Amino acid sequence: MKREPVLDVRGLRKRYGEIVALDGVDLVVPAGQTLVVMGPSGCGKSTLVRCLNRLLEPDAGEIWFEGRNLLSLTPPELAAARRRIGFVFQHSNLVARLSARQNIALGLIAAGRPVEEALEAAETALDRVGLAAKADRRPSQLSGGEQQRVGIARALALSPALMLWDEPTAALDPLLVREVLDVMEELVRDGERTMVVVTHELSFALRAADRVILMDSGQIVEDGSPAKVFTAPTSLLGERYRRLLESLPGLPAEGGGRKGKGIRAAGANAGTVPRPAPRPPMAQKSGGGRPVRA
Amino acid sequence: MRTWLTEGLAPLQDGFLRDLGRLLLVTVALLSFLSAAAAWAVNAYFGRTVSGLIGGVGEYDFMLHVRADAKARAERQLAAYLPKAFPGARLKPGLTVAGQTNFFLALPPDLRTRSVMENIDSAFSSIPGYSGHTTLVEPSIVIHGVASGAVRFFLERFERLPGVAVAFADGRDLVVAVERNHKPEEVERSVKALLGQYRLVEVRFPMGYRVPDLRQAGEQVAEALNRKFGGEAGNKAQDVTRSSRADDSQSFLASLTEMRRFLLSYASDIVVKMDPGVNLQRGDEVVVGQRIPPPGSKLGPGSLRVMITGVEGRLAHGVAVQGDTAPPGQSSAEGVFPAGRAFRVKPGDKVGAPVGTATIHNQRYALMATVDESLRLLNQLQLLAKHADRTAARVQLTLDSYQETLDRLAKAQSTLEAAHRGLSGPLDGLGKVRTDEIVLVLNRTVAGIDDLLGKMSGVAEAKAAMDLAAEAAGPGLPQTDLLSQIIGKINPVTALLLKWRAQAQSLALQVGNFGLLAQNAGGVKDFLGDLSKATGSTLTAMQAIDVPKLKADLEEISRRLEGIAQIDVDSVGRQMRYVRDSLPDLKDEELGRSVRLIDRYIGGEVIPGERLQILVPAGFPAKQVSAEVRAAAGEKVSTAVSPAGSLKPDLRGLLFQVLGKVRTTVAGLMAVALVAAVLMLDHALIISALRTGWKSRRLPRWWTAGAAAVYGAGIGATLLSAVFALSGAGLPFIGWPAVAALGAALGLLTAALAGRLAPIDVGELEAGQAMGLSYARMLREIVIPEGRPGLLFLLNRREMIFPQPAWGQAGAKR
Ligand SMILES: Nc1ncnc2c1ncn2[C@@H]1O[C@H](COP(=O)(O)OP(=O)(O)OP(=O)(O)O)[C@@H](O)[C@H]1O
Ligand SMILES: [Mg+2]
């Protein structure tokens, strides 16, 4: 079905001196789509997502978000736009001195919400990631996975129209990856948000992505449904991914799909590395939050 | 398209500038306060110490010094004495320093009179251990250099100035005490103005010049000046000469001057008669000699170098500073020898242009020659005296013989007359004439004359020897002249006597041979008559000489001559030779060097004490005054015009001034330290955060570094200048631009080190950005609370959404 694009990127370019990190990227992301960005290390994935909310200044191009070019906004306009774009970092980047709740409330207060209300909303957001019980802990008192979940809650709390993820699980202990992926998949299932997810988690791409793009040397080389990209690649890089998938047991080679009906068969431990059996995600930790799995 | 400026300034929005402004205001206020407080504390501490040593400003009038060992007794006596002698006076014991205890004395206003102030020492002289005082009267103006003769004159005038409580002499200084309710600066101005109305003209006399009555000379000069320039009363020169004090230094100076005079008279005075067009000056150096190498060549070590010590007309006088005036071959009583040509000495010890002809005048040589000459003369004189004495003795004998001859002639005369009378009667009367008797008388007389003549030739012989000796003895003796006169009186008689003797002999021959007078009675009678007449005139001539008086004169001469003869010439000669040989054997160059040394010491002081001091109105034209003084006191005097007196910076004032400097310096150092701390703590963080903000923006490469440097330098300069201005700080040798530059330098340093001084967690900032936090908000909530606790940290606490205990979790990192 035809939707209005939430994000429309045109001719995006970014160089670090001699290094060309983005070499003319055009990308249209319709509302509600979950887009997974994959590619070898150094291909420009991080650069792309960080440009999308102007954490990095692109050298050229246009970034149209909700009908406005982000690159022509004044600082206050940009700040307002950013509140509509959640960003989850590889490292959670929580403010060390603030509790989990305060970390989340900060953005809400900056958006103009009264402190009390903001703290309540923060609590709700924490509840969604199963961390309501640890709301008053400071980051140093939380595990890496919990920190990352607080980071997700922080992005969520602002009810963004678009969520950008830059390898949210890459810095985590493999044992903790699942709990974060579970939260992410739950969010995908909600279907409320457009998401651009940079990740190396093939399983996530296969199970949750509506669309996968492969990047190589700052350019998009494959763009399509997971099934198309991973079974009928048109590029050398796509071919390498296909072979990688073939070599992994239990992962269906056919196309990805929409939430709920997507490729889900092969069980939870699909990915670049074999994973131990997942624990039940949030319920375990939150002790009775909203069920994440259907 | 956004420009780099709006991009670069973007972080400053949303209240950041306001926060920064407030931070700067608070910083300046607090730092100024702290700097000023530290300076005040230092000042208070030192000020109290100084006051303990020398009393506070204007608190006391005098500090009395008492030997520390007599302190207790002095204190008791002062307690008893003070209320009686100085009712209302206050006394406070001060510190004991270097064996001296000090008492501070404050006098009540009615006792602050000139006579009290000037007689403090005598008033306290009976206090045990009292050793003098220091005047502390404050506020006051101290004047020094006023001629002692003008002190009263000025004191009286100072006291008439508005705002002056009392003026008095304090040692050689004049102290003008200012009334409490008057500004010292105003009084100082009027004192200065009053002093400025007069000049002191000092008149000094050249070396060796003695003024019989200085006072009179001074008054004459003053009168001369007034005749020329003087107007109505008050615009007149006045003599303020005082005979100088005979203090030690002056008598030492006097001895040095005498020594110089001696050395100069003893050294060869080398006189250069200047060639036309040449102008030698005092202090010039010339080389003198018969064989000087041509101009331009190097001077040998043995050359006679002369420093000119004075110029008189076309003659330049000098002393040898190198080489000796060669001892002259022949002695000269005047001690003057030609010394050849004189040439200037050029730099590098080269012979310069010829300047004149030199002669050496040496009193030493003259003296030696004189001694030798005197010794010779002394011997000659003694010889002369001997001859004179012998001559006198012979004259004595001659006079005796003269008297005898006179008697015999008188006898012969009467005999001859009788015989003549006998022949004049009847012829037969002739028979009665006793011819044998005549012959006898004549023979005896002739014998007497012979004796006299013999004696006289003895005199002549002695006189010839005497004259010879007199000629050798130069000036001779007065006695020889007297002798010569006496002899000169006797001599003319000789001719008469010789004539008479011839006549008498021929008569005696006739009478004796022929025996017959009758036979030729007529011829004999004529002959007798002639002889008798000649005898008469001879007698008259001889009797004209007052023999007894001559004898008396002669006696006197003899006595004198004997006195001379008795002088022990040998011992006199020994003595004179001793003097001559014990004259110091100083070389000219040694003398010259000594003179130069003394000159340097006495600094051209001519004769200590011998000077006139004239106080003249400043309106008298200085140059013409000098000329007029020379006209009145002599062309050779030197004049110097100096201020009538000058203000003395008072030491205590100076000390308090230094304390003030210490205060400002402490404030300055404090300000620098505090500003440095504030820069490192607060602004390093701000710079670091700004840089992080700039990094993610599209900005020219130079912006990040350049803007940080500009920010650092600007903030540093502003802060330090403002704190300096507000706290009254100052640093020695440093002006305002330098202070600003120092602040800027500190700021630049901070900017350069910001990354290390205040590292920023970029991730947290990015998270903040991603949440849509404004830059200022990120600073307040993230950067500042996690930075070092400084002023910014404290101020920021009010701004934070989630505050925290001041230092509790500050800087806590995960
Ligand atoms: N700040 C920077 N300065 C210079 N070069 C950079 C910078 N950030 C990224 N690069 C370079 O740009 C290229 C793209 O980097 P980017 O981080 O976007 O890659 P990535 O696809 O995210 O890789 P990874 O999977 O390792 O995160 C790489 O070659 C990288 O070395
Ligand atoms: Mg990356």
Side-chain angles (χ1 to χ4, degrees), chain A residues 35 39 65 76 101 105 116 120 131 140 147 150 159 162 174 186 188 202-203 210 212 215 236-237 242 251 255 274:
Chain A
L35 171 66
F65 171 70
R101 196 206 317 259
E116 285 309 311
E120 257 169 52
L131 281 176
S140 57
Q147 286 178 21
V150 175
S159 314
L162 170 66
E186 167 68 22
V188 171
L202 272 174
S203 67
D210 295 318
V212 171
M215 284 185 71
L236 233 92
L237 182 65
R242 190 186 67 78
L251 271 182

mmCIF file of all heavy atoms in Angstrom, chain A residues 35 39 65 76 101 105 116 120 131 140 147 150 159 162 174 186 188 202-203 210 212 215 236-237 242 251 255 274:
data_model
loop_
_atom_site.group_PDB
_atom_site.id
_atom_site.type_symbol
_atom_site.label_atom_id
_atom_site.label_comp_id
_atom_site.label_asym_id
_atom_site.label_seq_id
_atom_site.Cartn_x
_atom_site.Cartn_y
_atom_site.Cartn_z
ATOM 1 N N LEU A 35 13.278 -0.263 8.157
ATOM 2 C CA LEU A 35 14.351 -0.384 7.164
ATOM 3 C C LEU A 35 15.625 -0.797 7.879
ATOM 4 O O LEU A 35 16.052 -0.159 8.836
ATOM 5 C CB LEU A 35 14.557 0.975 6.466
ATOM 6 C CG LEU A 35 15.766 1.095 5.560
ATOM 7 C CD1 LEU A 35 15.629 0.181 4.344
ATOM 8 C CD2 LEU A 35 15.954 2.533 5.108
ATOM 9 N N GLY A 39 25.828 -3.720 5.888
ATOM 10 C CA GLY A 39 26.990 -3.492 5.040
ATOM 11 C C GLY A 39 28.255 -3.711 5.838
ATOM 12 O O GLY A 39 28.208 -3.772 7.071
ATOM 13 N N PHE A 65 12.184 15.566 6.006
ATOM 14 C CA PHE A 65 11.530 14.808 7.068
ATOM 15 C C PHE A 65 10.224 15.511 7.391
ATOM 16 O O PHE A 65 10.232 16.714 7.698
ATOM 17 C CB PHE A 65 12.424 14.767 8.302
ATOM 18 C CG PHE A 65 11.758 14.189 9.517
ATOM 19 C CD1 PHE A 65 11.446 12.820 9.587
ATOM 20 C CD2 PHE A 65 11.415 14.990 10.597
ATOM 21 C CE1 PHE A 65 10.835 12.297 10.715
ATOM 22 C CE2 PHE A 65 10.800 14.466 11.728
ATOM 23 C CZ PHE A 65 10.497 13.107 11.780
ATOM 24 N N PRO A 76 16.568 26.140 16.784
ATOM 25 C CA PRO A 76 15.375 25.729 17.533
ATOM 26 C C PRO A 76 14.465 24.812 16.704
ATOM 27 O O PRO A 76 13.939 23.833 17.229
ATOM 28 C CB PRO A 76 14.668 27.054 17.832
ATOM 29 C CG PRO A 76 15.695 28.105 17.628
ATOM 30 C CD PRO A 76 16.633 27.587 16.605
ATOM 31 N N ARG A 101 15.361 7.405 35.189
ATOM 32 C CA ARG A 101 14.143 8.186 35.004
ATOM 33 C C ARG A 101 14.455 9.614 34.553
ATOM 34 O O ARG A 101 13.852 10.138 33.631
ATOM 35 C CB ARG A 101 13.397 8.213 36.339
ATOM 36 C CG ARG A 101 11.933 8.648 36.233
ATOM 37 C CD ARG A 101 11.458 9.247 37.548
ATOM 38 N NE ARG A 101 11.906 8.481 38.704
ATOM 39 C CZ ARG A 101 11.148 7.625 39.386
ATOM 40 N NH1 ARG A 101 9.914 7.404 39.004
ATOM 41 N NH2 ARG A 101 11.617 7.003 40.445
ATOM 42 N N ALA A 105 13.463 11.775 31.329
ATOM 43 C CA ALA A 105 12.631 12.969 31.505
ATOM 44 C C ALA A 105 13.266 14.212 30.902
ATOM 45 O O ALA A 105 12.569 15.144 30.485
ATOM 46 C CB ALA A 105 12.352 13.196 32.994
ATOM 47 N N GLU A 116 7.044 17.116 36.603
ATOM 48 C CA GLU A 116 6.336 15.981 37.195
ATOM 49 C C GLU A 116 5.791 15.051 36.114
ATOM 50 O O GLU A 116 5.992 13.836 36.138
ATOM 51 C CB GLU A 116 5.185 16.492 38.086
ATOM 52 C CG GLU A 116 5.657 17.071 39.411
ATOM 53 C CD GLU A 116 6.595 16.111 40.134
ATOM 54 O OE1 GLU A 116 6.240 14.904 40.265
ATOM 55 O OE2 GLU A 116 7.696 16.556 40.533
ATOM 56 N N GLU A 120 6.726 11.190 35.110
ATOM 57 C CA GLU A 120 5.718 10.122 34.985
ATOM 58 C C GLU A 120 5.822 9.428 33.638
ATOM 59 O O GLU A 120 5.833 8.199 33.537
ATOM 60 C CB GLU A 120 4.312 10.712 35.146
ATOM 61 C CG GLU A 120 3.715 10.421 36.510
ATOM 62 C CD GLU A 120 2.443 11.234 36.738
ATOM 63 O OE1 GLU A 120 1.546 11.173 35.858
ATOM 64 O OE2 GLU A 120 2.376 11.942 37.769
ATOM 65 N N LEU A 131 11.901 -1.901 32.736
ATOM 66 C CA LEU A 131 12.874 -1.447 33.740
ATOM 67 C C LEU A 131 12.246 -0.529 34.781
ATOM 68 O O LEU A 131 12.951 0.234 35.453
ATOM 69 C CB LEU A 131 14.037 -0.721 33.050
ATOM 70 C CG LEU A 131 15.083 -1.614 32.401
ATOM 71 C CD1 LEU A 131 16.117 -0.773 31.684
ATOM 72 C CD2 LEU A 131 15.762 -2.506 33.440
ATOM 73 N N SER A 140 25.575 3.864 36.024
ATOM 74 C CA SER A 140 26.659 3.019 36.516
ATOM 75 C C SER A 140 26.128 1.852 37.335
ATOM 76 O O SER A 140 26.854 0.902 37.597
ATOM 77 C CB SER A 140 27.628 3.862 37.349
ATOM 78 O OG SER A 140 26.926 4.478 38.411
ATOM 79 N N GLN A 147 21.220 -0.540 30.365
ATOM 80 C CA GLN A 147 21.538 0.834 29.931
ATOM 81 C C GLN A 147 20.985 1.069 28.522
ATOM 82 O O GLN A 147 20.377 2.090 28.249
ATOM 83 C CB GLN A 147 23.058 1.050 29.930
ATOM 84 C CG GLN A 147 23.661 1.188 31.309
ATOM 85 C CD GLN A 147 25.168 1.355 31.232
ATOM 86 O OE1 GLN A 147 25.719 1.744 30.213
ATOM 87 N NE2 GLN A 147 25.836 1.046 32.341
ATOM 88 N N VAL A 150 17.355 1.540 28.639
ATOM 89 C CA VAL A 150 17.028 2.907 29.087
ATOM 90 C C VAL A 150 17.195 3.875 27.920
ATOM 91 O O VAL A 150 16.374 4.776 27.697
ATOM 92 C CB VAL A 150 17.893 3.341 30.284
ATOM 93 C CG1 VAL A 150 17.614 4.807 30.653
ATOM 94 C CG2 VAL A 150 17.648 2.448 31.475
ATOM 95 N N SER A 159 7.853 9.898 21.779
ATOM 96 C CA SER A 159 6.921 9.430 20.743
ATOM 97 C C SER A 159 7.360 9.880 19.364
ATOM 98 O O SER A 159 6.637 10.607 18.656
ATOM 99 C CB SER A 159 5.504 9.972 20.994
ATOM 100 O OG SER A 159 5.164 9.803 22.336
ATOM 101 N N LEU A 162 10.011 8.896 13.742
ATOM 102 C CA LEU A 162 11.074 8.131 13.089
ATOM 103 C C LEU A 162 12.073 7.731 14.157
ATOM 104 O O LEU A 162 12.430 8.529 15.030
ATOM 105 C CB LEU A 162 11.765 9.004 12.032
ATOM 106 C CG LEU A 162 13.044 8.477 11.411
ATOM 107 C CD1 LEU A 162 12.775 7.221 10.566
ATOM 108 C CD2 LEU A 162 13.687 9.561 10.546
ATOM 109 N N PRO A 174 27.163 -10.716 24.230
ATOM 110 C CA PRO A 174 26.220 -11.526 23.448
ATOM 111 C C PRO A 174 25.037 -12.020 24.273
ATOM 112 O O PRO A 174 23.925 -12.152 23.752
ATOM 113 C CB PRO A 174 27.067 -12.713 23.005
ATOM 114 C CG PRO A 174 28.455 -12.208 23.005
ATOM 115 C CD PRO A 174 28.546 -11.140 24.045
ATOM 116 N N GLU A 186 9.547 -5.984 19.418
ATOM 117 C CA GLU A 186 8.262 -5.584 19.997
ATOM 118 C C GLU A 186 7.822 -4.233 19.416
ATOM 119 O O GLU A 186 6.675 -4.041 19.035
ATOM 120 C CB GLU A 186 8.428 -5.503 21.519
ATOM 121 C CG GLU A 186 7.297 -4.812 22.257
ATOM 122 C CD GLU A 186 6.004 -5.624 22.212
ATOM 123 O OE1 GLU A 186 6.083 -6.847 21.996
ATOM 124 O OE2 GLU A 186 4.918 -5.011 22.365
ATOM 125 N N VAL A 188 8.740 -3.030 16.592
ATOM 126 C CA VAL A 188 8.405 -3.212 15.183
ATOM 127 C C VAL A 188 6.969 -3.712 15.068
ATOM 128 O O VAL A 188 6.183 -3.262 14.244
ATOM 129 C CB VAL A 188 9.381 -4.210 14.522
ATOM 130 C CG1 VAL A 188 8.899 -4.568 13.104
ATOM 131 C CG2 VAL A 188 10.774 -3.623 14.485
ATOM 132 N N LEU A 202 21.565 -10.337 11.452
ATOM 133 C CA LEU A 202 20.808 -10.892 10.319
ATOM 134 C C LEU A 202 19.431 -11.368 10.745
ATOM 135 O O LEU A 202 18.432 -11.183 10.045
ATOM 136 C CB LEU A 202 21.587 -12.063 9.704
ATOM 137 C CG LEU A 202 22.583 -11.677 8.619
ATOM 138 C CD1 LEU A 202 23.385 -12.898 8.194
ATOM 139 C CD2 LEU A 202 21.857 -11.077 7.426
ATOM 140 N N SER A 203 19.366 -11.949 11.945
ATOM 141 C CA SER A 203 18.088 -12.515 12.400
ATOM 142 C C SER A 203 17.047 -11.424 12.512
ATOM 143 O O SER A 203 15.892 -11.584 12.140
ATOM 144 C CB SER A 203 18.269 -13.208 13.745
ATOM 145 O OG SER A 203 18.571 -12.244 14.731
ATOM 146 N N ASP A 210 11.025 -4.750 6.926
ATOM 147 C CA ASP A 210 10.196 -4.669 5.740
ATOM 148 C C ASP A 210 11.090 -4.543 4.527
ATOM 149 O O ASP A 210 10.730 -4.935 3.422
ATOM 150 C CB ASP A 210 9.304 -3.414 5.793
ATOM 151 C CG ASP A 210 8.320 -3.496 6.936
ATOM 152 O OD1 ASP A 210 7.744 -4.567 7.151
ATOM 153 O OD2 ASP A 210 8.179 -2.457 7.635
ATOM 154 N N VAL A 212 15.417 -4.077 3.293
ATOM 155 C CA VAL A 212 16.840 -4.113 3.648
ATOM 156 C C VAL A 212 17.619 -3.363 2.576
ATOM 157 O O VAL A 212 17.327 -3.505 1.390
ATOM 158 C CB VAL A 212 17.350 -5.572 3.723
ATOM 159 C CG1 VAL A 212 18.863 -5.600 3.874
ATOM 160 C CG2 VAL A 212 16.685 -6.322 4.860
ATOM 161 N N MET A 215 24.849 -1.461 1.954
ATOM 162 C CA MET A 215 25.711 -0.328 1.558
ATOM 163 C C MET A 215 27.124 -0.804 1.364
ATOM 164 O O MET A 215 27.601 -1.688 2.058
ATOM 165 C CB MET A 215 25.705 0.770 2.633
ATOM 166 C CG MET A 215 24.425 1.598 2.630
ATOM 167 S SD MET A 215 24.558 2.945 3.815
ATOM 168 C CE MET A 215 25.734 3.977 2.989
ATOM 169 N N LEU A 236 27.734 -7.883 -5.816
ATOM 170 C CA LEU A 236 28.715 -8.783 -5.237
ATOM 171 C C LEU A 236 28.507 -8.897 -3.740
ATOM 172 O O LEU A 236 28.556 -9.977 -3.152
ATOM 173 C CB LEU A 236 30.112 -8.233 -5.508
ATOM 174 C CG LEU A 236 31.057 -9.236 -6.160
ATOM 175 C CD1 LEU A 236 30.963 -9.068 -7.673
ATOM 176 C CD2 LEU A 236 32.468 -9.009 -5.660
ATOM 177 N N LEU A 237 28.231 -7.725 -3.122
ATOM 178 C CA LEU A 237 28.048 -7.705 -1.671
ATOM 179 C C LEU A 237 26.811 -8.524 -1.297
ATOM 180 O O LEU A 237 26.832 -9.334 -0.370
ATOM 181 C CB LEU A 237 27.876 -6.265 -1.194
ATOM 182 C CG LEU A 237 27.715 -6.084 0.314
ATOM 183 C CD1 LEU A 237 28.969 -6.495 1.059
ATOM 184 C CD2 LEU A 237 27.329 -4.646 0.653
ATOM 185 N N ARG A 242 24.072 -13.612 0.697
ATOM 186 C CA ARG A 242 23.250 -14.790 0.392
ATOM 187 C C ARG A 242 23.992 -16.055 0.812
ATOM 188 O O ARG A 242 23.448 -16.927 1.475
ATOM 189 C CB ARG A 242 22.944 -14.823 -1.107
ATOM 190 C CG ARG A 242 21.892 -15.861 -1.512
ATOM 191 C CD ARG A 242 21.745 -15.939 -3.023
ATOM 192 N NE ARG A 242 22.938 -16.461 -3.668
ATOM 193 C CZ ARG A 242 23.253 -17.762 -3.695
ATOM 194 N NH1 ARG A 242 22.463 -18.648 -3.140
ATOM 195 N NH2 ARG A 242 24.341 -18.160 -4.307
ATOM 196 N N LEU A 251 17.980 -20.930 8.841
ATOM 197 C CA LEU A 251 17.502 -19.607 8.417
ATOM 198 C C LEU A 251 16.895 -19.743 7.029
ATOM 199 O O LEU A 251 17.537 -20.237 6.107
ATOM 200 C CB LEU A 251 18.647 -18.600 8.381
ATOM 201 C CG LEU A 251 18.917 -17.845 9.660
ATOM 202 C CD1 LEU A 251 20.042 -16.854 9.441
ATOM 203 C CD2 LEU A 251 17.652 -17.132 10.132
ATOM 204 N N GLY A 255 12.224 -14.593 1.256
ATOM 205 C CA GLY A 255 12.011 -13.177 1.621
ATOM 206 C C GLY A 255 11.591 -12.881 3.020
ATOM 207 O O GLY A 255 11.004 -13.708 3.714
ATOM 208 N N PRO A 274 26.007 -17.838 16.308
ATOM 209 C CA PRO A 274 25.029 -18.678 17.000
ATOM 210 C C PRO A 274 24.752 -18.113 18.363
ATOM 211 O O PRO A 274 25.640 -17.581 19.026
ATOM 212 C CB PRO A 274 25.729 -20.043 17.131
ATOM 213 C CG PRO A 274 26.989 -19.955 16.333
ATOM 214 C CD PRO A 274 27.292 -18.532 16.088
#
